[in-house]
Each structure stands twice: as C-alpha cells, then as structure tokens.
Amino acid sequence: MSEIVDEINRLHREVGVREVEAGEARTVLLRRAYDAEIADVWDAVTSPERISRWFLPVTGEFKLGGRYQLEGNAGGEILECAEPTRLRVSWLYGPDPGFSEVEVRLTPDGVDRTVLELEHVAVVPDDFWGQFGPGAVGIGWDLGLLGLARHLTGGGIGREEAEAWGKTPEGKEFMTRSGEEWGAAYTASGADAQVVAVTTAATIAAYTGA
C-alpha cells in the first residue's frame, strides 16, 4: 500500500481549459520527476521498441510529420519533435476523434534526474465530460507514467501482466486513489463539488469495474 501512495504522491496534476481553433478544449497536465538522465527518458518516450515495453506496441513512421498507431489505442501525427526536450503529437481515437493533442516536455533536474510534463489537450463532448470529468484520461495517464517509472528502473512488465495487475486489489487501489486525486485537481480548477463527486465516482467505477 505504501508504494501505491508514494507513486500517487509523486505526480502533480492540473485541470484547465484552453481555446484552440476547434473550440474550447479541456486540458490535463501531469508532472513528475524520474531518477534518470534526460537522454534516457527521451529515448524511453520516443523509441518504438521501448514504448512497447512500458506502454503499448506502436507502429508507424517515426519522424516529423510521420504517423503512428498504438495497438488498440490512439494514433495520429508527429507534430513537433525537439530532441531531447519536447514531443507533440495528435492523439486520435475512435471514428470521430475531434481535436486531441498530447505534448511531452522534459527538463533536466541535475545530472541524473529529469522532470517530465505531459499535457493532454482535447475538445471533449459535453456529455462525456459531464459524466466522467478529467479522470477519464487522467487515470490512464497515471498508469502510463507508473509504467514508465518501472521501466526506467528496470522493472517493467508486459501488457498482459499490466492488464492482470489492474484487476488485483493493488491495481484497483491505485486507480481509485488516482481517480480521487484527479477529483481534487478538478475541484482546484473551480469545478462544483457535486459535479466532482459524481464524475469521480463514475470514472473510478469504469476503471475498477466497481
């Protein structure tokens, strides 16, 4: 349990809004530090072989303007790539994905430590946001960055093992606490307390099967 609490507390979370060409977008921002050199973290988040070891198998043309596809998940275009500090991609999923982008920013913090920021900006249908709020993507990103942490310390697990872990009491506890923290971030953004309570409960239930 203490490991779960430690991992949850290592993440800083923010929820906001931003105007984009497609309209008003919702934003979620995650920030955490890793005990690894920036070059290693950059390689872990851009190398197709390494991405498959901590996140999902990925195929595509890995260059500026190239397209990628994560197995069973999002795909899109590589919009910006400034090694070793910034990667921005479109993040499209489903038959009518609309506007959705993910940006990863890396900053060295000393010699062997790197701060990672991940920001997901998307125009989200009001009914979906009203039902689930920011935790719908937030919990998923928490899980992804947990996988990255384990990978960078040599303790990564495969996709089937990760899916199995998500069904264990430990995995469900992680997702529950993650959902609660995203609820707190939603509250900090100015959301109504009742809305936060309803969306947080729905999102946790969706992830844990409660």
Side-chain angles (χ1 to χ4, degrees), residues 1-13 30-35 54 113 116 138-139 141-156 165 170-171 173-179 181-182:
M1 185 69 72
S2 62
E3 181 185 355
I4 292 175
V5 174
D6 288 345
E7 286 295 337
I8 291 294
N9 290 341
R10 285 189 177 101
L11 270 170
H12 170 79
R13 303 165 182 82
L30 304 88
R31 183 187 304 117
R32 70 160 290 172
Y34 292 99
D35 292 325
W54 65 268
R113 189 173 171 86
L116 178 148
I139 295 176
W141 285 122
D142 278 17
L143 289 165
L145 294 192
L146 172 63
L148 177 59
R150 291 178 171 176
H151 170 72
L152 290 169
T153 57
W165 177 80
E170 182 183 47
E173 180 67 20
F174 181 91
M175 290 183 282
T176 297
R177 288 178 177 264
S178 169
E181 290 299 319
W182 279 108

Short mmCIF file of all heavy atoms in Angstrom, two decimals, residues 1-13 30-35 54 113 116 138-139 141-156 165 170-171 173-179 181-182:
data_model
loop_
_atom_site.label_atom_id
_atom_site.label_comp_id
_atom_site.label_asym_id
_atom_site.label_seq_id
_atom_site.Cartn_x
_atom_site.Cartn_y
_atom_site.Cartn_z
N MET A 1 0.82 -1.22 0.00
CA MET A 1 0.00 0.00 0.00
C MET A 1 0.86 1.27 0.00
O MET A 1 0.54 2.24 -0.67
CB MET A 1 -0.92 0.00 1.22
CG MET A 1 -1.90 1.16 1.25
SD MET A 1 -3.14 1.00 -0.05
CE MET A 1 -4.11 -0.35 0.59
N SER A 2 1.95 1.25 0.76
CA SER A 2 2.79 2.44 0.85
C SER A 2 3.39 2.80 -0.50
O SER A 2 3.55 3.97 -0.84
CB SER A 2 3.91 2.24 1.87
OG SER A 2 4.76 1.15 1.49
N GLU A 3 3.72 1.74 -1.33
CA GLU A 3 4.27 2.00 -2.66
C GLU A 3 3.23 2.71 -3.53
O GLU A 3 3.57 3.63 -4.29
CB GLU A 3 4.70 0.69 -3.32
CG GLU A 3 5.29 0.90 -4.71
CD GLU A 3 5.61 -0.40 -5.41
OE1 GLU A 3 5.45 -1.48 -4.79
OE2 GLU A 3 5.99 -0.35 -6.59
N ILE A 4 1.97 2.29 -3.42
CA ILE A 4 0.91 2.93 -4.19
C ILE A 4 0.78 4.39 -3.80
O ILE A 4 0.71 5.29 -4.65
CB ILE A 4 -0.43 2.19 -3.97
CG1 ILE A 4 -0.38 0.81 -4.60
CG2 ILE A 4 -1.59 3.00 -4.55
CD1 ILE A 4 -1.60 -0.02 -4.32
N VAL A 5 0.76 4.65 -2.50
CA VAL A 5 0.64 6.03 -2.02
C VAL A 5 1.82 6.86 -2.50
O VAL A 5 1.65 8.00 -2.95
CB VAL A 5 0.55 6.05 -0.48
CG1 VAL A 5 0.57 7.49 0.04
CG2 VAL A 5 -0.72 5.35 -0.01
N ASP A 6 3.02 6.30 -2.43
CA ASP A 6 4.21 7.03 -2.88
C ASP A 6 4.10 7.38 -4.36
O ASP A 6 4.41 8.50 -4.77
CB ASP A 6 5.47 6.20 -2.64
CG ASP A 6 5.83 6.09 -1.17
OD1 ASP A 6 5.30 6.88 -0.37
OD2 ASP A 6 6.64 5.21 -0.82
N GLU A 7 3.69 6.41 -5.17
CA GLU A 7 3.58 6.66 -6.62
C GLU A 7 2.51 7.71 -6.91
O GLU A 7 2.71 8.59 -7.76
CB GLU A 7 3.27 5.35 -7.35
CG GLU A 7 4.44 4.41 -7.47
CD GLU A 7 5.56 4.98 -8.32
OE1 GLU A 7 5.32 5.86 -9.15
OE2 GLU A 7 6.71 4.53 -8.14
N ILE A 8 1.38 7.63 -6.23
CA ILE A 8 0.32 8.62 -6.43
C ILE A 8 0.83 10.01 -6.07
O ILE A 8 0.59 11.00 -6.78
CB ILE A 8 -0.92 8.26 -5.59
CG1 ILE A 8 -1.60 7.00 -6.13
CG2 ILE A 8 -1.90 9.43 -5.54
CD1 ILE A 8 -2.22 7.14 -7.49
N ASN A 9 1.56 10.11 -4.96
CA ASN A 9 2.02 11.41 -4.48
C ASN A 9 3.16 12.00 -5.31
O ASN A 9 3.43 13.20 -5.20
CB ASN A 9 2.46 11.29 -3.02
CG ASN A 9 1.30 11.06 -2.07
OD1 ASN A 9 0.15 11.33 -2.42
ND2 ASN A 9 1.58 10.56 -0.89
N ARG A 10 3.82 11.18 -6.11
CA ARG A 10 4.90 11.70 -6.95
C ARG A 10 4.37 12.54 -8.11
O ARG A 10 5.13 13.27 -8.73
CB ARG A 10 5.74 10.55 -7.49
CG ARG A 10 6.66 9.92 -6.46
CD ARG A 10 7.61 8.92 -7.09
NE ARG A 10 8.52 8.39 -6.08
CZ ARG A 10 8.39 7.20 -5.49
NH1 ARG A 10 7.37 6.43 -5.84
NH2 ARG A 10 9.24 6.79 -4.59
N LEU A 11 3.10 12.42 -8.40
CA LEU A 11 2.52 13.12 -9.53
C LEU A 11 1.83 14.42 -9.11
O LEU A 11 1.08 14.45 -8.14
CB LEU A 11 1.48 12.25 -10.23
CG LEU A 11 1.99 11.34 -11.36
CD1 LEU A 11 0.90 10.37 -11.77
CD2 LEU A 11 2.44 12.16 -12.54
N HIS A 12 2.09 15.48 -9.87
CA HIS A 12 1.34 16.73 -9.75
C HIS A 12 0.32 16.75 -10.88
O HIS A 12 0.66 16.44 -12.03
CB HIS A 12 2.28 17.93 -9.85
CG HIS A 12 1.55 19.23 -9.97
ND1 HIS A 12 1.00 19.86 -8.87
CD2 HIS A 12 1.29 20.02 -11.04
CE1 HIS A 12 0.42 20.98 -9.27
NE2 HIS A 12 0.59 21.10 -10.58
N ARG A 13 -0.92 17.13 -10.56
CA ARG A 13 -1.99 17.10 -11.55
C ARG A 13 -2.70 18.46 -11.62
O ARG A 13 -2.97 19.07 -10.59
CB ARG A 13 -3.02 16.02 -11.18
CG ARG A 13 -2.44 14.63 -11.06
CD ARG A 13 -3.41 13.69 -10.36
NE ARG A 13 -2.86 12.34 -10.19
CZ ARG A 13 -2.04 12.00 -9.20
NH1 ARG A 13 -1.69 12.90 -8.28
NH2 ARG A 13 -1.58 10.75 -9.12
N LEU A 30 0.13 16.53 -16.19
CA LEU A 30 0.79 15.69 -15.20
C LEU A 30 2.27 16.08 -15.15
O LEU A 30 2.88 16.34 -16.20
CB LEU A 30 0.68 14.21 -15.55
CG LEU A 30 -0.72 13.61 -15.74
CD1 LEU A 30 -1.20 13.75 -17.18
CD2 LEU A 30 -0.71 12.13 -15.35
N ARG A 31 2.83 16.08 -13.95
CA ARG A 31 4.26 16.38 -13.80
C ARG A 31 4.85 15.46 -12.75
O ARG A 31 4.29 15.30 -11.67
CB ARG A 31 4.46 17.84 -13.39
CG ARG A 31 5.94 18.25 -13.28
CD ARG A 31 6.10 19.66 -12.70
NE ARG A 31 5.35 20.64 -13.48
CZ ARG A 31 4.34 21.36 -13.00
NH1 ARG A 31 3.94 21.20 -11.74
NH2 ARG A 31 3.71 22.21 -13.76
N ARG A 32 6.00 14.87 -13.05
CA ARG A 32 6.71 14.08 -12.06
C ARG A 32 8.18 13.99 -12.44
O ARG A 32 8.55 14.23 -13.60
CB ARG A 32 6.12 12.69 -11.88
CG ARG A 32 6.32 11.74 -13.02
CD ARG A 32 6.13 10.29 -12.55
NE ARG A 32 7.23 9.88 -11.69
CZ ARG A 32 7.26 8.73 -11.00
NH1 ARG A 32 6.22 7.91 -11.06
NH2 ARG A 32 8.29 8.40 -10.25
N ALA A 33 9.02 13.69 -11.47
CA ALA A 33 10.46 13.57 -11.70
C ALA A 33 10.84 12.09 -11.74
O ALA A 33 10.25 11.26 -11.05
CB ALA A 33 11.23 14.29 -10.60
N TYR A 34 11.84 11.80 -12.57
CA TYR A 34 12.40 10.45 -12.67
C TYR A 34 13.89 10.51 -12.37
O TYR A 34 14.58 11.45 -12.79
CB TYR A 34 12.18 9.89 -14.07
CG TYR A 34 10.74 9.62 -14.42
CD1 TYR A 34 10.01 10.53 -15.18
CD2 TYR A 34 10.12 8.46 -13.99
CE1 TYR A 34 8.68 10.28 -15.50
CE2 TYR A 34 8.79 8.20 -14.31
CZ TYR A 34 8.08 9.12 -15.06
OH TYR A 34 6.76 8.87 -15.36
N ASP A 35 14.39 9.50 -11.68
CA ASP A 35 15.82 9.42 -11.39
C ASP A 35 16.52 8.78 -12.58
O ASP A 35 16.96 7.62 -12.55
CB ASP A 35 16.06 8.61 -10.11
CG ASP A 35 15.55 9.34 -8.88
OD1 ASP A 35 15.65 10.58 -8.84
OD2 ASP A 35 15.06 8.66 -7.96
N TRP A 54 6.84 -0.39 -21.98
CA TRP A 54 6.21 0.21 -20.79
C TRP A 54 4.80 0.76 -21.05
O TRP A 54 4.08 1.07 -20.11
CB TRP A 54 7.08 1.34 -20.22
CG TRP A 54 7.27 2.54 -21.10
CD1 TRP A 54 8.27 2.75 -21.99
CD2 TRP A 54 6.45 3.71 -21.16
NE1 TRP A 54 8.12 3.97 -22.62
CE2 TRP A 54 7.01 4.59 -22.12
CE3 TRP A 54 5.29 4.11 -20.49
CZ2 TRP A 54 6.46 5.82 -22.43
CZ3 TRP A 54 4.73 5.35 -20.80
CH2 TRP A 54 5.31 6.19 -21.75
N ARG A 113 18.61 13.28 -13.04
CA ARG A 113 17.20 13.42 -12.70
C ARG A 113 16.52 14.27 -13.79
O ARG A 113 17.09 15.25 -14.27
CB ARG A 113 17.06 14.09 -11.33
CG ARG A 113 15.65 14.11 -10.76
CD ARG A 113 15.71 14.66 -9.32
NE ARG A 113 14.41 14.93 -8.74
CZ ARG A 113 13.65 14.04 -8.12
NH1 ARG A 113 14.09 12.79 -8.00
NH2 ARG A 113 12.48 14.36 -7.61
N LEU A 116 9.42 15.36 -16.07
CA LEU A 116 8.56 15.13 -17.23
C LEU A 116 7.22 15.81 -17.00
O LEU A 116 6.61 15.66 -15.94
CB LEU A 116 8.37 13.64 -17.47
CG LEU A 116 7.45 13.22 -18.62
CD1 LEU A 116 7.94 11.90 -19.24
CD2 LEU A 116 5.99 13.06 -18.20
N GLY A 138 -7.12 11.02 -17.15
CA GLY A 138 -6.12 11.21 -16.11
C GLY A 138 -5.65 9.90 -15.49
O GLY A 138 -4.44 9.69 -15.29
N ILE A 139 -6.58 9.01 -15.16
CA ILE A 139 -6.19 7.73 -14.57
C ILE A 139 -5.34 6.94 -15.55
O ILE A 139 -4.33 6.32 -15.18
CB ILE A 139 -7.43 6.92 -14.15
CG1 ILE A 139 -8.18 7.63 -13.02
CG2 ILE A 139 -7.02 5.51 -13.70
CD1 ILE A 139 -9.47 6.94 -12.60
N TRP A 141 -3.35 8.09 -17.85
CA TRP A 141 -2.00 8.66 -17.90
C TRP A 141 -1.23 8.36 -16.62
O TRP A 141 -0.02 8.14 -16.65
CB TRP A 141 -2.05 10.15 -18.18
CG TRP A 141 -2.38 10.49 -19.59
CD1 TRP A 141 -3.41 11.25 -20.06
CD2 TRP A 141 -1.67 10.08 -20.77
NE1 TRP A 141 -3.40 11.32 -21.44
CE2 TRP A 141 -2.33 10.61 -21.89
CE3 TRP A 141 -0.53 9.29 -20.97
CZ2 TRP A 141 -1.89 10.39 -23.21
CZ3 TRP A 141 -0.09 9.06 -22.28
CH2 TRP A 141 -0.77 9.60 -23.38
N ASP A 142 -1.91 8.36 -15.47
CA ASP A 142 -1.23 7.96 -14.23
C ASP A 142 -0.66 6.55 -14.37
O ASP A 142 0.48 6.28 -13.98
CB ASP A 142 -2.22 7.98 -13.06
CG ASP A 142 -2.42 9.37 -12.48
OD1 ASP A 142 -2.07 10.37 -13.14
OD2 ASP A 142 -2.95 9.47 -11.35
N LEU A 143 -1.46 5.65 -14.93
CA LEU A 143 -0.99 4.28 -15.14
C LEU A 143 0.18 4.24 -16.11
O LEU A 143 1.15 3.50 -15.90
CB LEU A 143 -2.14 3.42 -15.66
CG LEU A 143 -3.25 3.09 -14.65
CD1 LEU A 143 -4.48 2.56 -15.37
CD2 LEU A 143 -2.76 2.08 -13.62
N GLY A 144 0.11 5.04 -17.17
CA GLY A 144 1.19 5.08 -18.14
C GLY A 144 2.49 5.56 -17.52
O GLY A 144 3.56 4.97 -17.75
N LEU A 145 2.42 6.62 -16.71
CA LEU A 145 3.65 7.15 -16.12
C LEU A 145 4.17 6.25 -15.01
O LEU A 145 5.37 6.25 -14.73
CB LEU A 145 3.40 8.56 -15.60
CG LEU A 145 3.08 9.61 -16.68
CD1 LEU A 145 3.14 11.02 -16.10
CD2 LEU A 145 4.03 9.50 -17.88
N LEU A 146 3.30 5.46 -14.40
CA LEU A 146 3.76 4.43 -13.48
C LEU A 146 4.54 3.37 -14.24
O LEU A 146 5.61 2.92 -13.79
CB LEU A 146 2.57 3.78 -12.76
CG LEU A 146 2.88 2.56 -11.90
CD1 LEU A 146 3.81 2.93 -10.75
CD2 LEU A 146 1.60 1.92 -11.37
N GLY A 147 4.03 2.97 -15.40
CA GLY A 147 4.74 2.01 -16.24
C GLY A 147 6.10 2.54 -16.66
O GLY A 147 7.10 1.80 -16.67
N LEU A 148 6.18 3.82 -16.99
CA LEU A 148 7.45 4.42 -17.38
C LEU A 148 8.42 4.41 -16.21
O LEU A 148 9.62 4.13 -16.39
CB LEU A 148 7.22 5.86 -17.87
CG LEU A 148 8.47 6.66 -18.24
CD1 LEU A 148 9.26 5.96 -19.35
CD2 LEU A 148 8.08 8.07 -18.67
N ALA A 149 7.94 4.71 -15.02
CA ALA A 149 8.81 4.70 -13.83
C ALA A 149 9.41 3.32 -13.63
O ALA A 149 10.62 3.19 -13.35
CB ALA A 149 8.01 5.13 -12.60
N ARG A 150 8.59 2.30 -13.74
CA ARG A 150 9.09 0.94 -13.55
C ARG A 150 10.07 0.56 -14.66
O ARG A 150 11.07 -0.12 -14.41
CB ARG A 150 7.92 -0.03 -13.48
CG ARG A 150 7.09 0.14 -12.21
CD ARG A 150 5.90 -0.79 -12.15
NE ARG A 150 5.27 -0.75 -10.83
CZ ARG A 150 4.16 -1.40 -10.51
NH1 ARG A 150 3.55 -2.14 -11.42
NH2 ARG A 150 3.66 -1.30 -9.29
N HIS A 151 9.78 0.99 -15.88
CA HIS A 151 10.67 0.69 -17.00
C HIS A 151 12.04 1.33 -16.79
O HIS A 151 13.08 0.69 -17.02
CB HIS A 151 10.04 1.21 -18.29
CG HIS A 151 10.96 1.18 -19.47
ND1 HIS A 151 11.34 0.01 -20.08
CD2 HIS A 151 11.61 2.18 -20.13
CE1 HIS A 151 12.17 0.29 -21.08
NE2 HIS A 151 12.35 1.59 -21.13
N LEU A 152 12.07 2.58 -16.34
CA LEU A 152 13.34 3.29 -16.17
C LEU A 152 14.20 2.72 -15.05
O LEU A 152 15.41 2.96 -15.01
CB LEU A 152 13.07 4.77 -15.91
CG LEU A 152 12.53 5.57 -17.11
CD1 LEU A 152 12.05 6.95 -16.67
CD2 LEU A 152 13.60 5.70 -18.21
N THR A 153 13.58 1.95 -14.16
CA THR A 153 14.36 1.29 -13.10
C THR A 153 14.56 -0.19 -13.38
O THR A 153 15.00 -0.94 -12.50
CB THR A 153 13.66 1.46 -11.73
OG1 THR A 153 12.33 0.94 -11.80
CG2 THR A 153 13.59 2.93 -11.35
N GLY A 154 14.24 -0.60 -14.60
CA GLY A 154 14.49 -1.97 -15.00
C GLY A 154 13.44 -2.96 -14.55
O GLY A 154 13.64 -4.18 -14.64
N GLY A 155 12.28 -2.46 -14.10
CA GLY A 155 11.26 -3.36 -13.57
C GLY A 155 9.98 -3.37 -14.36
O GLY A 155 8.92 -3.57 -13.79
N GLY A 156 10.06 -3.13 -15.65
CA GLY A 156 8.86 -3.06 -16.48
C GLY A 156 8.16 -4.40 -16.59
O GLY A 156 8.75 -5.46 -16.38
N TRP A 165 -2.53 -7.04 -13.53
CA TRP A 165 -2.29 -6.25 -12.32
C TRP A 165 -3.45 -5.29 -12.07
O TRP A 165 -3.85 -5.08 -10.93
CB TRP A 165 -0.98 -5.48 -12.45
CG TRP A 165 -0.70 -4.60 -11.27
CD1 TRP A 165 -0.18 -4.98 -10.07
CD2 TRP A 165 -0.93 -3.19 -11.18
NE1 TRP A 165 -0.06 -3.88 -9.23
CE2 TRP A 165 -0.51 -2.78 -9.88
CE3 TRP A 165 -1.44 -2.23 -12.06
CZ2 TRP A 165 -0.60 -1.45 -9.46
CZ3 TRP A 165 -1.52 -0.91 -11.65
CH2 TRP A 165 -1.11 -0.53 -10.36
N GLU A 170 -4.39 -4.41 -5.49
CA GLU A 170 -3.40 -3.33 -5.55
C GLU A 170 -3.66 -2.42 -6.75
O GLU A 170 -3.61 -1.20 -6.64
CB GLU A 170 -1.99 -3.92 -5.64
CG GLU A 170 -0.90 -2.86 -5.66
CD GLU A 170 0.48 -3.47 -5.81
OE1 GLU A 170 0.66 -4.34 -6.70
OE2 GLU A 170 1.38 -3.06 -5.06
N GLY A 171 -3.92 -3.03 -7.91
CA GLY A 171 -4.19 -2.24 -9.10
C GLY A 171 -5.45 -1.40 -8.95
O GLY A 171 -5.48 -0.21 -9.33
N GLU A 173 -6.73 -0.36 -6.16
CA GLU A 173 -6.45 0.69 -5.18
C GLU A 173 -5.71 1.85 -5.83
O GLU A 173 -6.01 3.02 -5.56
CB GLU A 173 -5.62 0.12 -4.03
CG GLU A 173 -5.26 1.13 -2.95
CD GLU A 173 -6.46 1.63 -2.16
OE1 GLU A 173 -7.52 0.95 -2.17
OE2 GLU A 173 -6.36 2.70 -1.54
N PHE A 174 -4.76 1.53 -6.70
CA PHE A 174 -4.04 2.59 -7.42
C PHE A 174 -5.00 3.43 -8.25
O PHE A 174 -4.97 4.67 -8.20
CB PHE A 174 -2.96 1.99 -8.32
CG PHE A 174 -2.16 3.02 -9.07
CD1 PHE A 174 -0.99 3.53 -8.54
CD2 PHE A 174 -2.58 3.48 -10.31
CE1 PHE A 174 -0.25 4.49 -9.23
CE2 PHE A 174 -1.85 4.44 -11.00
CZ PHE A 174 -0.69 4.94 -10.46
N MET A 175 -5.88 2.77 -9.00
CA MET A 175 -6.81 3.51 -9.85
C MET A 175 -7.81 4.31 -9.04
O MET A 175 -8.19 5.43 -9.43
CB MET A 175 -7.52 2.54 -10.80
CG MET A 175 -6.59 1.97 -11.86
SD MET A 175 -7.39 0.88 -13.08
CE MET A 175 -7.55 -0.63 -12.13
N THR A 176 -8.23 3.77 -7.91
CA THR A 176 -9.16 4.51 -7.03
C THR A 176 -8.50 5.77 -6.49
O THR A 176 -9.09 6.86 -6.53
CB THR A 176 -9.61 3.61 -5.87
OG1 THR A 176 -10.33 2.49 -6.40
CG2 THR A 176 -10.52 4.38 -4.92
N ARG A 177 -7.29 5.62 -5.98
CA ARG A 177 -6.59 6.80 -5.44
C ARG A 177 -6.26 7.81 -6.54
O ARG A 177 -6.33 9.01 -6.33
CB ARG A 177 -5.32 6.36 -4.71
CG ARG A 177 -5.62 5.65 -3.37
CD ARG A 177 -4.33 5.19 -2.70
NE ARG A 177 -4.61 4.59 -1.41
CZ ARG A 177 -4.54 5.24 -0.25
NH1 ARG A 177 -4.19 6.52 -0.23
NH2 ARG A 177 -4.79 4.63 0.89
N SER A 178 -5.92 7.30 -7.71
CA SER A 178 -5.67 8.18 -8.85
C SER A 178 -6.93 8.98 -9.19
O SER A 178 -6.88 10.20 -9.38
CB SER A 178 -5.24 7.36 -10.07
OG SER A 178 -5.23 8.12 -11.24
N GLY A 179 -8.07 8.30 -9.25
CA GLY A 179 -9.33 8.99 -9.54
C GLY A 179 -9.65 10.05 -8.51
O GLY A 179 -10.12 11.14 -8.85
N GLU A 181 -7.48 11.73 -6.72
CA GLU A 181 -6.56 12.85 -6.91
C GLU A 181 -6.96 13.71 -8.11
O GLU A 181 -6.83 14.93 -8.09
CB GLU A 181 -5.12 12.34 -7.07
CG GLU A 181 -4.53 11.77 -5.80
CD GLU A 181 -4.46 12.81 -4.69
OE1 GLU A 181 -4.10 13.97 -4.97
OE2 GLU A 181 -4.76 12.46 -3.53
N TRP A 182 -7.48 13.06 -9.15
CA TRP A 182 -7.97 13.84 -10.29
C TRP A 182 -9.23 14.62 -9.89
O TRP A 182 -9.46 15.73 -10.37
CB TRP A 182 -8.23 12.95 -11.50
CG TRP A 182 -6.94 12.68 -12.23
CD1 TRP A 182 -6.24 11.52 -12.28
CD2 TRP A 182 -6.18 13.64 -12.97
NE1 TRP A 182 -5.09 11.69 -13.00
CE2 TRP A 182 -5.03 12.98 -13.44
CE3 TRP A 182 -6.35 14.98 -13.28
CZ2 TRP A 182 -4.05 13.62 -14.20
CZ3 TRP A 182 -5.39 15.64 -14.04
CH2 TRP A 182 -4.26 14.95 -14.49
#
